[in-house]
Amino acid sequence: MTRVDAALVRRWLTETEEALAREAGRLTELDSAIGDADHGSNMRRGFAAVRAALEREEPASPGRALVLAGRTLVGTVGGASGPLFGTLLRRAGKVLGEAEQVSAEEFAAALREGVSAVARLGGAAAGDKTMVDALEPAAAALPDFAAAQRAAEEGAAATVPLRARKGRASYLGERSAGHEDPGAASAALLVAALARAAEQEASRG
């Protein structure tokens, strides 16, 4: 796949909404160990709102679709997840601007800008046991979408032995070790949905 348009972004975010609906229980279970036990329900609600907004407004460019999605997440997802995931998508969308199509390389660069914005907002780096642990290696692997999925899943799994240094889980100290970070798990689902959407697009020729 060499080009990214609004249809691909909508497909990606719809795939994400469906994945989060399936995995909400697991995400809540992860969050119950080191957080507020609401991450799964928050993410499911947020991306359901994103899907509804995309269907209602039908943005004509990938940048507009991402900005709309990011703004919707900030407005509907509680806690830190809304601002962080919203920042990821909104920043990427602003980088892409109004172009109706962008190259896969331009899309990858925009997502890397989004990941950097998330790291700045949360003050997090790789190894802090946050969504950044999944997003940074995935962004580095783009525009190879399959490799990005593997990197995100490996990054999320690698948070299990870590001690949290950011967010609510950091208050648990050593007790935060032994649990996968729910934000990283959600980020891995987001990247996996992107890989599926890209594969579907490629198969359509």
Side-chain angles (χ1 to χ4, degrees), residues 23-169:
E23 297 291 331
R26 179 176 72 90
L27 295 172
T28 292
E29 184 178 350
L30 292 174
D31 196 36
S32 67
I34 58 175
D36 294 325
D38 59 359
H39 184 71
S41 59
N42 282 344
M43 293 296 290
R44 177 173 57 190
R45 181 176 65 253
F47 274 87
V50 166
R51 182 173 186 171
L54 291 171
E55 291 173 352
R56 182 174 61 250
E57 298 193 24
E58 297 185 344
S61 70
R64 285 188 179 185
L66 288 170
V67 169
L68 173 61
R71 187 170 66 241
T72 302
L73 288 178
V74 170
T76 58
V77 179
S81 297
L84 291 169
F85 279 91
T87 292
L88 169 68
L89 299 179
R90 188 164 57 182
R91 177 58 185 157
K94 287 183 177 179
V95 170
L96 293 178
E98 298 294 322
E100 292 188 4
Q101 281 193 342
V102 296
S103 69
E105 290 78 10
E106 290 170 326
F107 184 66
L111 288 178
R112 283 192 283 271
E113 286 284 341
V115 173
S116 295
V118 167
R120 289 193 299 271
L121 178 63
D128 284 343
K129 198 182 181 87
T130 71
M131 61 192 287
V132 172
D133 287 294
L135 289 176
E136 278 196 349
L142 290 171
D144 185 331
F145 296 98
Q149 176 180 353
R150 292 192 297 272
E153 291 170 349
E154 291 168 2
T159 65
V160 173
L162 298 177
R163 173 179 173 174
R165 294 198 288 261
K166 296 292 179 180
R168 187 181 185 281

Side-chain angles (χ1 to χ4, degrees), residues 180-199:
E180 184 176 356
D181 179 71
S186 287
L189 291 173
L190 180 74
V191 178
L194 174 59
R196 287 195 299 276
E199 183 179 11

